[in-house]
Amino acid sequence: ADRVAQSLRANLGDMGLDVRTTREVLNAFLSVQNTYLSVFLALGGLGVLLGTVGMVTVLLRGALERKREFALMLATGTTRHGLRQLLILENGGLLIFGLLCGTISALVAVAPQVASVESSVSWATIAALLFAILIVGLTSCALAAGRGVRGSIVEALREE
């Protein structure tokens, strides 16, 4: 094979012939494919982080809209700490369920690619991204819960 490649290069090299092995060609294609996967991972991570910011906005709005309900619960004996825990449990549960559903559906979607021998998946990066989303989401749940139970009970009850 090496002698044939050298002969072809010597005789047809002036015409632009480039002799490469099949392995070199396939590796070039796989490097392009892995680059696309890396770009889509980065864009997907950015989309998820933007979604997390949107979630913070929705949680804050929901907590502010339920302020009168929270005031009534506080007036009937629920503590602010218990109310905060309730909100974190509600919203955090939804966040964790959403992350699990999204992760499982993403794994199903990329299963054929991951199963191929040539693929290289950065599991540590994916796990770090999911962990960061979870931490940011739970922190935003805690902040929204703290913001929702803050304020005067009397004013909120008057509005009710």
Side-chain angles (χ1 to χ4, degrees):
D2 288 335
R3 280 191 265 158
V4 171
Q6 288 175 353
S7 175
L8 287 172
R9 284 186 190 114
N11 294 325
L12 300 173
D14 295 339
M15 294 181 180
L17 178 71
D18 184 22
V19 179
R20 294 186 294 171
T21 64
T22 307
R23 183 175 301 277
E24 291 172 349
V25 173
L26 286 176
N27 284 338
F29 284 133
L30 289 176
S31 69
V32 170
Q33 186 178 22
N34 286 335
T35 302
Y36 275 116
L37 289 175
S38 298
V39 168
F40 284 122
L41 174 67
L43 290 175
L46 179 63
V48 170
L49 288 176
L50 287 174
T52 304
V53 170
M55 183 189 74
V56 170
T57 306
V58 169
L59 290 176
L60 283 173
R61 182 173 180 204
L64 292 175
E65 286 179 356
R66 293 173 63 188
K67 196 162 186 79
R68 290 179 285 189
E69 175 188 337
F70 298 153
L72 186 59
M73 291 173 74
L74 289 171
T76 57
T78 305
T79 64
R80 288 185 191 271
H81 180 71
L83 191 56
R84 238 183 262 118
Q85 284 181 335
L86 175 72
L87 284 171
I88 291 171
L89 189 65
E90 282 179 3
N91 298 321
L94 287 173
L95 171 71
I96 292 169
F97 181 73
L99 272 176
L100 284 175
C101 287
T103 302
I104 290 169
S105 62
L107 288 174
V108 168
V110 298
Q113 173 61 30
V114 172
S116 72
V117 177
E118 296 85 17
S119 71
S120 62
V121 179
S122 176
W123 294 110
T125 303
I126 294 171
L129 182 64
L130 288 173
F131 183 72
I133 292 167
L134 180 66
I135 294 301
V136 168
L138 290 177
T139 303
S140 65
C141 289
L143 292 175
R147 177 93 169 146
V149 299
R150 194 179 329 155
S152 173
I153 297 175
V154 176
E155 287 180 29
L157 284 175
R158 281 185 190 151
E159 292 175 12
E160 184 65 29

